[in-house]
Amino acid sequence: PNQEGLLWFVETVWPRLKTTHPDLGFAVAGRNAPGWLVRKLNQPGVVFYGEVPDAAAFLRSHGILVAPCFSGGGMRVKILESMAQGRPVITTPIGAEGLDAANGTEILLCGDPDTFEKAVAGLLSEPGRYDDMSRRGHDFVHARFDNNTLADKLSGFYNNHLP
């Protein structure tokens, strides 16, 4: 699913963004990428890093996470990690399954090239919106997925359900 979404973004959205934002860069990290995918990523402004030693540092060093997911299931940890790092996330409804994040305030949900392009361009051109989404996404993850929050919920469950 990650390769499928990445290939879709690079082939359909990236050329449009590069036309309207010629100085924009797109950083891609991932382990064990097949050669055919690395060759497809060889485009102006796209840098493929392969496996990075510190995912959190990588996320902090880049501005927006785009995670187009069109198949697969389960929660995407990279989306939560990005939000926790204060990075806005643009994904598909499938990519956000299980998160219950509010579209437009904590995350941006897009399903086609036009909305993806507009979402990225909007965050780039509106620093206030970028900052607001960064803060709200960060707060959302820490309120719902922080270890202390989860431990408190688990403790409450046990206190209410065990003799």
Side-chain angles (χ1 to χ4, degrees), residues 1 5 8 65-72 76 79 89-99 103 107-113 115-116:
W8 174 85
L65 176 78
V66 293
C69 301
F70 299 103
S71 63
R76 286 12 181 238
I79 290 174
V89 172
I90 305 169
T91 188
T92 58
I94 291 173
E97 282 180 351
L99 294 182
N103 184 24
I107 197 166
L108 291 173
L109 302 180
C110 304
D112 60 73
T115 57
F116 255 90

Side-chain angles (χ1 to χ4, degrees), residues 116-134:
F116 255 90
E117 178 186 6
K118 288 176 185 171
V120 172
L123 289 175
L124 293 173
S125 65
E126 299 175 47
R129 184 167 186 221
Y130 176 96
D131 292 342
D132 190 49
M133 287 213 55
S134 297

Side-chain angles (χ1 to χ4, degrees), residues 27 29 49-65 78 81-82 84-87:
Y49 290 89
E51 184 174 359
V52 295
D54 185 346
F58 183 82
L59 292 171
R60 280 192 305 273
S61 68
H62 297 89
I64 299 168
L65 176 78
K78 67 184 172 197
E81 289 175 334
S82 295
Q85 293 291 330
R87 297 299 179 255

